Amino acid sequence: MTLQASSFAAVGLPSLAPRLCRSRRGPVVRAKVEPSEKSVEIMRKFSEQYARRSGTYFCVDKGVTSVVIKGLADHKDTLGAPLCPCRHYDDKPAEAAQGFWNCPCVPMRERKECHCMLFLTPENDFAGQDQAISFEEIKESTSNM
Amino acid sequence: MAISLSASSIPRLSGENPAASSSMSPLRLRLPAGARGFGGGARRISVNSKPRGFSLVEAKKQTYNSFDDLLAKSEKPVLVDFYATWCGPCQFMVPILNEVSIRLNDTIQVVKIDTEKYPSIADKYKIEALPTFIIFKDGKPFERFEGALTADQLIQRIEDSLKVKQ
């Protein structure tokens, strides 16, 4: 997953202002804040249990599952609650306190709607067969982010 | 996910240093500090000692001062992907957007905006669920839709949209 990585070798730009210029160095990988392993493990276990309990399945592409679990873990670390990582918020702490979008969110609890593609009903095109995912799997799927 | 780092034709608004780009390499925007909003700082390695009005040089050696500027100056419709780092479906779309950008190179320009780095832009366009895609035509939102889709579906959606509302 390329996300924050500057994977592009830019053409040289002599006219750029004097500032750190990466243009001649090729790919640069930026360090990105990672959620704590403890939180990832908690959200991993939660996801497995909740998938079983709700009769839903992880995405055929476990990379999606892995990213979402890490996103939940990241919010748990920073906000104290696993706020849905697939939404834009005006005020994250307020939302975490309010709870509607804390995983499992209200749409999921009421209608099994998970737009993060974490919990997929069997008839969903992207639903796989698994209700389990290992810590290793999460680590490997997100290692190139 | 077997997504590899590779050169891409997709411009990304991610708070990085500006770079010139050919038509096959990305357009990265840096906005004036005020436009960045709050909260993105912790995750950004930015060397932003430049005052407002810095410029970014793009493929055709044009200068953009803002996202609005990019929209205004684009000759083609622009597909904007509003995403976040830990949004699974957004990451799922990375290779798909690469493919679509190449296949529809003449039709549309693809730009990605990290909503955590540019919350003010995300607020402006009332982004809620991620990913949200907005097709801009003549600098204005023209069509929008949410959620991940396959390359073929996305191409179909773009083509239908641009054709019908011509």
Side-chain angles (χ1 to χ4, degrees):
Chain A
M1 313 217 185
T2 58
L3 231 269
Q4 308 301 342
S6 321
S7 57
F8 320 114
V11 174
L13 275 190
S15 57
L16 276 186
R19 107 179 113 244
L20 180 62
C21 182
R22 296 192 175 112
S23 59
R24 292 180 200 275
R25 265 200 246 146
V28 173
V29 177
R30 288 156 104 226
K32 187 170 32 61
V33 177
E34 284 272 334
S36 65
E37 286 200 358
K38 181 173 168 203
S39 291
V40 172
E41 185 56 15
I42 290 171
M43 297 320 299
R44 182 188 73 79
K45 287 230 165 71
F46 154 75
S47 300
E48 290 188 329
Q49 280 166 14
Y50 197 81
R52 285 195 303 269
R53 182 146 60 103
S54 62
T56 55
Y57 295 83
F58 294 148
C59 185
V60 279
D61 182 337
K62 293 295 244 330
V64 172
T65 313
S66 301
V67 171
V68 176
I69 287 175
K70 278 198 166 175
L72 292 169
D74 178 65
H75 280 157
K76 191 164 186 342
D77 284 341
T78 57
L79 303 167
L83 193 65
C84 175
C86 308
R87 261 187 101 77
H88 170 66
Y89 307 94
D90 285 335
D91 182 340
K92 280 191 179 182
E95 291 280 356
Q98 200 273 333
F100 187 97
W101 288 109
N102 286 344
C103 188
C105 64
V106 170
M108 177 64 202
R109 283 186 268 146
E110 291 187 352
R111 297 184 298 280
K112 296 198 180 171
E113 281 175 10
C114 175
H115 70 281
C116 279
M117 292 167 66
L118 176 59
F119 304 114
L120 297 167
T121 53
E123 57 274 7
N124 189 301
D125 286 344
F126 291 103
Q129 317 267 31
D130 295 344
Q131 291 175 319
I133 184 168
S134 69
F135 188 83
E136 268 311 305
E137 214 173 337
I138 293 175
K139 200 162 127 184
E140 278 165 26
S141 302
T142 56
S143 62
N144 57 341
M145 275 186 75
Chain B
M1 254 191 252
I3 299 172
S4 54
L5 291 177
S6 60
S8 161
S9 60
I10 299 176
R12 179 178 307 142
L13 202 62
S14 60
E16 298 196 9
N17 293 317
S21 55
S22 65
S23 59
M24 282 308 284
S25 60
L27 171 64
R28 276 176 292 164
L29 296 185
R30 282 187 70 202
L31 299 192
R36 288 199 174 123
F38 58 94
R43 294 188 180 192
R44 206 173 345 133
I45 300 172
S46 65
V47 186
N48 184 26
S49 54
K50 204 166 191 234
R52 279 172 199 258
F54 59 71
S55 62
L56 151 85
V57 182
E58 185 267 336
K60 297 173 190 176
K61 305 265 191 306
Q62 286 190 312
T63 302
Y64 300 110
N65 293 322
S66 68
F67 177 59
D68 290 336
D69 203 32
L70 177 156
L71 290 179
K73 291 201 168 134
S74 178
E75 291 161 8
K76 299 180 280 192
V78 184
L79 173 72
V80 181
D81 167 28
F82 292 89
Y83 73 97
T85 303
W86 295 118
C87 159
C90 301
Q91 293 305 318
F92 177 81
M93 291 304 293
V94 168
I96 291 174
L97 284 170
N98 280 339
E99 184 185 337
V100 169
S101 174
I102 290 166
R103 278 167 67 180
L104 294 186
N105 188 42
D106 296 329
T107 311
I108 200 159
Q109 182 183 2
V110 180
V111 172
K112 288 160 69 163
I113 292 185
D114 183 332
T115 58
E116 292 188 312
K117 295 203 165 60
Y118 296 103
S120 53
I121 301 181
D123 289 344
K124 178 176 176 184
Y125 294 102
K126 308 254 185 294
I127 305 301
E128 293 184 339
L130 300 172
T132 288
F133 298 97
I134 300 183
I135 298 175
F136 285 83
K137 207 158 175 283
D138 302 319
K140 291 192 230 9
F142 186 71
E143 169 128 356
R144 69 190 275 165
F145 45 97
E146 297 169 353
L149 53 179
T150 65
D152 289 338
Q153 287 170 340
L154 182 54
I155 288 175
Q156 192 64 57
R157 193 82 202 245
I158 293 168
E159 288 180 339
D160 288 348
S161 167
L162 295 179
K163 184 177 29 173
V164 171
K165 296 177 188 179
Q166 210 80 267

mmCIF file of all heavy atoms in Angstrom, chain A residues 50 53-56 105-115 119-122 124:
data_model
loop_
_atom_site.group_PDB
_atom_site.id
_atom_site.type_symbol
_atom_site.label_atom_id
_atom_site.label_comp_id
_atom_site.label_asym_id
_atom_site.label_seq_id
_atom_site.Cartn_x
_atom_site.Cartn_y
_atom_site.Cartn_z
ATOM 1 N N TYR A 50 -16.763 -10.591 16.407
ATOM 2 C CA TYR A 50 -17.959 -9.926 15.908
ATOM 3 C C TYR A 50 -18.403 -10.491 14.562
ATOM 4 O O TYR A 50 -19.598 -10.588 14.274
ATOM 5 C CB TYR A 50 -17.753 -8.407 15.820
ATOM 6 C CG TYR A 50 -19.061 -7.676 15.715
ATOM 7 C CD1 TYR A 50 -19.824 -7.425 16.853
ATOM 8 C CD2 TYR A 50 -19.577 -7.278 14.474
ATOM 9 C CE1 TYR A 50 -21.047 -6.789 16.765
ATOM 10 C CE2 TYR A 50 -20.803 -6.642 14.382
ATOM 11 C CZ TYR A 50 -21.539 -6.403 15.524
ATOM 12 O OH TYR A 50 -22.752 -5.781 15.449
ATOM 13 N N ARG A 53 -20.191 -13.611 15.449
ATOM 14 C CA ARG A 53 -21.461 -13.318 16.120
ATOM 15 C C ARG A 53 -22.506 -12.787 15.147
ATOM 16 O O ARG A 53 -23.688 -13.063 15.275
ATOM 17 C CB ARG A 53 -21.225 -12.309 17.243
ATOM 18 C CG ARG A 53 -22.461 -11.968 18.028
ATOM 19 C CD ARG A 53 -22.149 -11.702 19.485
ATOM 20 N NE ARG A 53 -21.226 -10.592 19.654
ATOM 21 C CZ ARG A 53 -21.580 -9.372 20.043
ATOM 22 N NH1 ARG A 53 -22.852 -9.091 20.245
ATOM 23 N NH2 ARG A 53 -20.672 -8.446 20.186
ATOM 24 N N SER A 54 -22.072 -12.019 14.168
ATOM 25 C CA SER A 54 -23.018 -11.382 13.246
ATOM 26 C C SER A 54 -23.212 -12.182 11.969
ATOM 27 O O SER A 54 -24.000 -11.783 11.100
ATOM 28 C CB SER A 54 -22.545 -9.966 12.900
ATOM 29 O OG SER A 54 -21.282 -10.018 12.236
ATOM 30 N N GLY A 55 -22.500 -13.305 11.841
ATOM 31 C CA GLY A 55 -22.641 -14.098 10.615
ATOM 32 C C GLY A 55 -22.110 -13.367 9.388
ATOM 33 O O GLY A 55 -22.633 -13.532 8.286
ATOM 34 N N THR A 56 -21.081 -12.575 9.586
ATOM 35 C CA THR A 56 -20.498 -11.868 8.443
ATOM 36 C C THR A 56 -19.086 -12.385 8.198
ATOM 37 O O THR A 56 -18.523 -13.092 9.046
ATOM 38 C CB THR A 56 -20.453 -10.349 8.684
ATOM 39 O OG1 THR A 56 -19.760 -10.075 9.915
ATOM 40 C CG2 THR A 56 -21.844 -9.757 8.742
ATOM 41 N N CYS A 105 -20.485 0.086 14.662
ATOM 42 C CA CYS A 105 -21.285 1.307 14.553
ATOM 43 C C CYS A 105 -22.774 0.961 14.454
ATOM 44 O O CYS A 105 -23.151 -0.194 14.224
ATOM 45 C CB CYS A 105 -20.854 2.111 13.328
ATOM 46 S SG CYS A 105 -21.156 1.250 11.749
ATOM 47 N N VAL A 106 -23.589 1.977 14.622
ATOM 48 C CA VAL A 106 -25.039 1.772 14.592
ATOM 49 C C VAL A 106 -25.524 1.152 13.282
ATOM 50 O O VAL A 106 -26.288 0.183 13.300
ATOM 51 C CB VAL A 106 -25.779 3.095 14.913
ATOM 52 C CG1 VAL A 106 -27.263 2.979 14.642
ATOM 53 C CG2 VAL A 106 -25.523 3.497 16.372
ATOM 54 N N PRO A 107 -25.082 1.655 12.104
ATOM 55 C CA PRO A 107 -25.520 1.011 10.861
ATOM 56 C C PRO A 107 -25.188 -0.482 10.812
ATOM 57 O O PRO A 107 -25.954 -1.277 10.272
ATOM 58 C CB PRO A 107 -24.767 1.787 9.780
ATOM 59 C CG PRO A 107 -24.553 3.139 10.367
ATOM 60 C CD PRO A 107 -24.301 2.887 11.820
ATOM 61 N N MET A 108 -24.059 -0.860 11.363
ATOM 62 C CA MET A 108 -23.678 -2.271 11.371
ATOM 63 C C MET A 108 -24.575 -3.041 12.341
ATOM 64 O O MET A 108 -25.131 -4.078 11.989
ATOM 65 C CB MET A 108 -22.207 -2.426 11.784
ATOM 66 C CG MET A 108 -21.727 -3.876 11.883
ATOM 67 S SD MET A 108 -21.792 -4.703 10.272
ATOM 68 C CE MET A 108 -21.859 -6.423 10.809
ATOM 69 N N ARG A 109 -24.732 -2.490 13.527
ATOM 70 C CA ARG A 109 -25.538 -3.190 14.516
ATOM 71 C C ARG A 109 -26.979 -3.324 14.076
ATOM 72 O O ARG A 109 -27.616 -4.354 14.291
ATOM 73 C CB ARG A 109 -25.462 -2.471 15.866
ATOM 74 C CG ARG A 109 -24.152 -2.738 16.602
ATOM 75 C CD ARG A 109 -24.185 -2.116 17.991
ATOM 76 N NE ARG A 109 -23.654 -0.767 18.024
ATOM 77 C CZ ARG A 109 -24.105 0.208 18.830
ATOM 78 N NH1 ARG A 109 -25.113 -0.025 19.627
ATOM 79 N NH2 ARG A 109 -23.544 1.396 18.809
ATOM 80 N N GLU A 110 -27.504 -2.303 13.426
ATOM 81 C CA GLU A 110 -28.917 -2.322 13.041
ATOM 82 C C GLU A 110 -29.161 -3.009 11.713
ATOM 83 O O GLU A 110 -30.157 -3.711 11.542
ATOM 84 C CB GLU A 110 -29.463 -0.894 12.965
ATOM 85 C CG GLU A 110 -29.569 -0.235 14.328
ATOM 86 C CD GLU A 110 -30.280 1.123 14.262
ATOM 87 O OE1 GLU A 110 -30.542 1.616 13.139
ATOM 88 O OE2 GLU A 110 -30.563 1.677 15.326
ATOM 89 N N ARG A 111 -28.258 -2.792 10.737
ATOM 90 C CA ARG A 111 -28.542 -3.273 9.387
ATOM 91 C C ARG A 111 -27.415 -4.090 8.766
ATOM 92 O O ARG A 111 -27.447 -4.378 7.565
ATOM 93 C CB ARG A 111 -28.865 -2.087 8.473
ATOM 94 C CG ARG A 111 -30.122 -1.325 8.882
ATOM 95 C CD ARG A 111 -30.425 -0.232 7.859
ATOM 96 N NE ARG A 111 -29.363 0.757 7.763
ATOM 97 C CZ ARG A 111 -29.184 1.769 8.600
ATOM 98 N NH1 ARG A 111 -29.999 1.939 9.627
ATOM 99 N NH2 ARG A 111 -28.185 2.620 8.428
ATOM 100 N N LYS A 112 -26.427 -4.435 9.565
ATOM 101 C CA LYS A 112 -25.259 -5.157 9.040
ATOM 102 C C LYS A 112 -24.636 -4.426 7.855
ATOM 103 O O LYS A 112 -24.167 -5.052 6.905
ATOM 104 C CB LYS A 112 -25.611 -6.602 8.645
ATOM 105 C CG LYS A 112 -26.050 -7.416 9.843
ATOM 106 C CD LYS A 112 -25.990 -8.900 9.599
ATOM 107 C CE LYS A 112 -26.462 -9.628 10.858
ATOM 108 N NZ LYS A 112 -26.631 -11.068 10.628
ATOM 109 N N GLU A 113 -24.623 -3.115 7.938
ATOM 110 C CA GLU A 113 -24.004 -2.309 6.884
ATOM 111 C C GLU A 113 -22.628 -1.864 7.348
ATOM 112 O O GLU A 113 -22.516 -1.080 8.299
ATOM 113 C CB GLU A 113 -24.844 -1.056 6.609
ATOM 114 C CG GLU A 113 -26.057 -1.323 5.752
ATOM 115 C CD GLU A 113 -26.926 -0.076 5.597
ATOM 116 O OE1 GLU A 113 -26.503 1.039 5.993
ATOM 117 O OE2 GLU A 113 -28.048 -0.247 5.090
ATOM 118 N N CYS A 114 -21.591 -2.359 6.701
ATOM 119 C CA CYS A 114 -20.234 -1.964 7.055
ATOM 120 C C CYS A 114 -19.543 -1.451 5.807
ATOM 121 O O CYS A 114 -19.051 -2.245 4.991
ATOM 122 C CB CYS A 114 -19.453 -3.141 7.643
ATOM 123 S SG CYS A 114 -17.711 -2.754 7.960
ATOM 124 N N HIS A 115 -19.482 -0.117 5.648
ATOM 125 C CA HIS A 115 -18.917 0.406 4.415
ATOM 126 C C HIS A 115 -17.394 0.327 4.420
ATOM 127 O O HIS A 115 -16.762 0.570 3.401
ATOM 128 C CB HIS A 115 -19.414 1.831 4.137
ATOM 129 C CG HIS A 115 -18.867 2.852 5.090
ATOM 130 N ND1 HIS A 115 -19.376 3.018 6.354
ATOM 131 C CD2 HIS A 115 -17.867 3.746 4.973
ATOM 132 C CE1 HIS A 115 -18.706 3.975 6.970
ATOM 133 N NE2 HIS A 115 -17.793 4.435 6.152
ATOM 134 N N PHE A 119 -16.876 -6.155 7.827
ATOM 135 C CA PHE A 119 -17.861 -7.228 8.068
ATOM 136 C C PHE A 119 -18.801 -7.285 6.870
ATOM 137 O O PHE A 119 -19.617 -6.373 6.684
ATOM 138 C CB PHE A 119 -18.646 -6.955 9.345
ATOM 139 C CG PHE A 119 -17.787 -6.784 10.571
ATOM 140 C CD1 PHE A 119 -17.728 -5.561 11.216
ATOM 141 C CD2 PHE A 119 -17.048 -7.849 11.078
ATOM 142 C CE1 PHE A 119 -16.935 -5.399 12.360
ATOM 143 C CE2 PHE A 119 -16.252 -7.690 12.210
ATOM 144 C CZ PHE A 119 -16.196 -6.464 12.850
ATOM 145 N N LEU A 120 -18.712 -8.359 6.090
ATOM 146 C CA LEU A 120 -19.496 -8.433 4.864
ATOM 147 C C LEU A 120 -20.502 -9.572 4.953
ATOM 148 O O LEU A 120 -20.149 -10.704 5.326
ATOM 149 C CB LEU A 120 -18.561 -8.639 3.659
ATOM 150 C CG LEU A 120 -17.586 -7.472 3.437
ATOM 151 C CD1 LEU A 120 -16.484 -7.869 2.447
ATOM 152 C CD2 LEU A 120 -18.326 -6.248 2.919
ATOM 153 N N THR A 121 -21.731 -9.294 4.597
ATOM 154 C CA THR A 121 -22.738 -10.356 4.575
ATOM 155 C C THR A 121 -22.385 -11.306 3.433
ATOM 156 O O THR A 121 -21.776 -10.899 2.435
ATOM 157 C CB THR A 121 -24.143 -9.769 4.387
ATOM 158 O OG1 THR A 121 -24.143 -8.933 3.232
ATOM 159 C CG2 THR A 121 -24.563 -8.945 5.593
ATOM 160 N N PRO A 122 -22.778 -12.583 3.564
ATOM 161 C CA PRO A 122 -22.352 -13.596 2.588
ATOM 162 C C PRO A 122 -22.689 -13.260 1.145
ATOM 163 O O PRO A 122 -21.938 -13.635 0.224
ATOM 164 C CB PRO A 122 -23.097 -14.863 3.033
ATOM 165 C CG PRO A 122 -23.397 -14.652 4.471
ATOM 166 C CD PRO A 122 -23.549 -13.180 4.674
ATOM 167 N N ASN A 124 -22.578 -10.438 -0.306
ATOM 168 C CA ASN A 124 -21.783 -9.331 -0.840
ATOM 169 C C ASN A 124 -20.716 -9.871 -1.802
ATOM 170 O O ASN A 124 -20.041 -10.861 -1.510
ATOM 171 C CB ASN A 124 -21.129 -8.590 0.335
ATOM 172 C CG ASN A 124 -20.448 -7.301 -0.074
ATOM 173 O OD1 ASN A 124 -19.542 -7.298 -0.907
ATOM 174 N ND2 ASN A 124 -20.876 -6.196 0.515
#
